[in-house]
Amino acid sequence: MTHTQGAGRASIGVRILGSGLCLPEKRLTNADLEACMDTSDEWIVKRTGITERRRADWDNGEKTSVLATKALREALSTAKIDPSELDLILVATMTPDTPTPSVSCIVAREIGAGNIAAIDINAACSGFVYTMNVADTMVRSGMYRTVAVIGADCVTRHIDYSTYGRGAAILFGDAAAAVVLRADDNPGVGMIAQRMHSDGAGSKHLFIPEHCSDFPDPDDFDERKLDKVQMNGQAVFKFAVSKFQQVINDTLEDAGLTADDIDHFVCHQANSRILESARERFGIPEEKLLVNIHKFGNTVSASAPLVFEELRRAGKVEAGQKVMFLAFGAGLTWGSSLWQL
Ligand code: COA
C-alpha cells in the first residue's frame, strides 16, 4: 500500500476551486447549558475551550441536507462553478436526515445537478478528511472531473441536554462546510500524502445506541441513553492525543516533509487541549493551526472544512501552500489528507 500520490494517472492534478459553509442561526451558549444542567461556563472553557455552539432546528426541517445544500451553494459560488458542471457529490456525514435517501442525493436534487453520482460516507468526525482522499483519488483516476465534497452533521439531536448527558452535551454543535474540486493540468497540485485508519475495537468508547443490544456492556443499558451520544471522555481524549500526533508524524514522513514545511494544519476541533498537545509536540506556531472550537464546538464532519473556510475568508489560503487536513473520531477512525494547493 502506498500513502503518497502517484498511484493514479500521473498527468492529473486536483485543485480546490472554492469553499463555503452553513451555520444554523440558533446559538447554544455555556450560559444556556448552565440553565438546563449542572455545569458551569468555567468548567467547560477550562476543559474544552468551548464557549458556544450552533444548534439546527431539526424539528422544523433544518436538517443535515439543508445545511449541506446551503454550504455547497456558497462553495459553488466562490468557485464560480454552475451546479450543472458537477459530476460527483460526496457528503461526509453520520447524521443523514433519514437512513435513505442519502444526503448527497437530496443535495444533488436541491441544487439541480442532474442525475450525477451522489455518495454519502460515514467516518464520523474523520469523515471530511477521508472524503477528501476519496475525492482526490476519483478525480485522478480520470473518471470524474468536478467534485463537491461536503462535511455536514446535525449531531445535537443525539444529545441529552440534562445533567445525565452533560459529558457529551457541552461538546457538540451542528454545521456544514463544503469545497469544490476540479481536475487540473498540473499533476503537482492536489493530495500528496494521506493516512486513513480505523479501530473497531475502540467503538465502545464513542457510539450512539438505538437498541439495548447496541451496548458493548449490557450492564450499561439505560433507556435514557438510547439515541444519544455515549462517550468515555477520558478514553477518547487519550486516543485522540496519541493518534493525532502519530498521524501527523506518519504523514510528514510519507511526504518527506517537516512540520515547518506545512502552511496550515486544518484540524478537527474536538477539544482545544488536544490541539494544543499537537502544537507543542511539533512546535507548530499558533498562526499555522487555527482553533475555532470556542465558537462552534465539535461539529463532527463539518469541523475541519469550517476551519479551512475561515482561513480562506481571512485571505490566508493561497496557491502554492501545503495544507494538512487532520481528524479523528468515532469508529474509532483517524486520518490525514495533505494537499499541495
Ligand atoms: N460539567 C461539570 N462537570 C462535569 C461535566 C460537565 N459538563 N462533565 C463531567 N463532569 C464532572 C464529572 O462528573 C467528574 O466529576 P467527579 O470527579 O465528581 O466524578 C469530573 O467532572 C471529571 O470528569 P471527567 O469525565 O474525568 O472530565 P475530563 O477532564 O475527562 O473532561 C471531557 C471531560 C469530555 C471534556 C474530556 O474527557 C474530553 O474532552 N474528552 C475527549 C472528547 C472528545 O474529543 N470527543 C470527540 C472526539 S471526536
Side-chain angles (χ1 to χ4, degrees), residues 12-18 76 79-87 135-136 139-140 144-149 179-186 189-190 339:
I12 302 176
V14 186
R15 199 171 284 282
I16 302 177
L17 290 187
L76 287 166
K80 300 186 175 54
I81 295 281
D82 189 81
S84 63
E85 295 176 60
L86 287 174
D87 45 24
D136 179 278
V139 174
R140 285 192 205 255
Y144 295 90
R145 184 171 147 70
T146 310
V147 177
V149 178
V179 296
V180 174
L181 311 176
R182 177 166 270 180
D184 196 272
D185 291 342
N186 176 1
V189 298
W339 283 64

Side-chain angles (χ1 to χ4, degrees), residues 4 193 250-258 261 338:
T4 51
D250 291 347
T251 312
L252 289 172
E253 227 172 79
D254 292 340
L257 299 171
T258 69
D261 298 318
L338 174 57

Side-chain angles (χ1 to χ4, degrees), residues 39 43 47 125 166 170 231 233-234 236 268 270-271 298 328:
T39 191
W43 194 96
R47 308 266 175 145
C125 296
R166 66 181 178 174
I170 57 168
M231 186 180 70
Q234 290 193 1
V236 174
H268 170 52
N271 185 313
N298 177 346
F328 49 86

Side-chain angles (χ1 to χ4, degrees), residues 37-40 43-44 47-48 125 166-168 170-172 206 231-240 268 270-271 273-274 298 328-330:
M37 64 185 72
D38 180 13
T39 191
S40 70
W43 194 96
I44 299 171
R47 308 266 175 145
T48 70
C125 296
R166 66 181 178 174
I170 57 168
L171 294 176
F172 293 99
L206 189 50
M231 186 180 70
N232 176 343
Q234 290 193 1
V236 174
F237 192 92
K238 278 185 203 145
F239 146 76
H268 170 52
N271 185 313
R273 290 187 290 146
I274 296 171
N298 177 346
F328 49 86

Side-chain angles (χ1 to χ4, degrees), residues 6-209:
R9 287 199 187 174
S11 58
I12 302 176
V14 186
R15 199 171 284 282
I16 302 177
L17 290 187
S19 54
L21 61 79
C22 176
L23 292 162
E25 284 292 313
K26 186 175 166 36
R27 289 163 198 265
L28 200 58
T29 64
N30 289 352
D32 294 329
L33 296 180
E34 282 174 344
C36 59
M37 64 185 72
D38 180 13
T39 191
S40 70
D41 175 55
E42 192 194 351
W43 194 96
I44 299 171
V45 171
K46 190 166 164 222
R47 308 266 175 145
T48 70
I50 303 168
T51 56
E52 65 174 45
R53 47 312 273 140
R54 301 297 179 95
R55 188 170 191 204
D57 189 358
W58 186 272
D59 292 339
N60 286 308
E62 194 178 27
K63 298 193 174 188
T64 305
S65 67
V66 172
L67 302 188
T69 302
K70 287 183 180 166
L72 179 55
R73 281 193 208 283
E74 205 177 89
L76 287 166
S77 156
T78 61
K80 300 186 175 54
I81 295 281
D82 189 81
S84 63
E85 295 176 60
L86 287 174
D87 45 24
L88 170 64
I89 295 179
L90 298 173
V91 177
T93 188
M94 66 169 207
T95 52
D97 302 8
T98 53
T100 194
S102 63
V103 174
S104 49
C105 279
I106 300 172
V107 172
R109 179 191 75 203
E110 290 303 304
I111 64 166
N115 303 128
I116 62 169
I119 307 170
D120 282 8
I121 293 176
N122 180 350
C125 296
S126 308
F128 180 80
V129 173
Y130 265 50
T131 307
M132 287 292 274
N133 292 332
V134 171
D136 179 278
T137 306
M138 290 181 92
V139 174
R140 285 192 205 255
S141 77
M143 299 289 275
Y144 295 90
R145 184 171 147 70
T146 310
V147 177
V149 178
I150 309 172
D153 270 299
C154 292
V155 72
T156 65
R157 74 193 177 97
H158 295 294
I159 295 293
D160 171 4
Y161 289 102
S162 76
T163 299
Y164 189 69
R166 66 181 178 174
I170 57 168
L171 294 176
F172 293 99
D174 301 331
V179 296
V180 174
L181 311 176
R182 177 166 270 180
D184 196 272
D185 291 342
N186 176 1
V189 298
M191 186 270 287
I192 52 177
Q194 60 87 21
R195 288 271 172 162
M196 295 195 277
H197 297 286
S198 71
D199 171 16
S203 60
K204 61 185 176 200
H205 298 310
L206 189 50
F207 63 104
I208 302 177

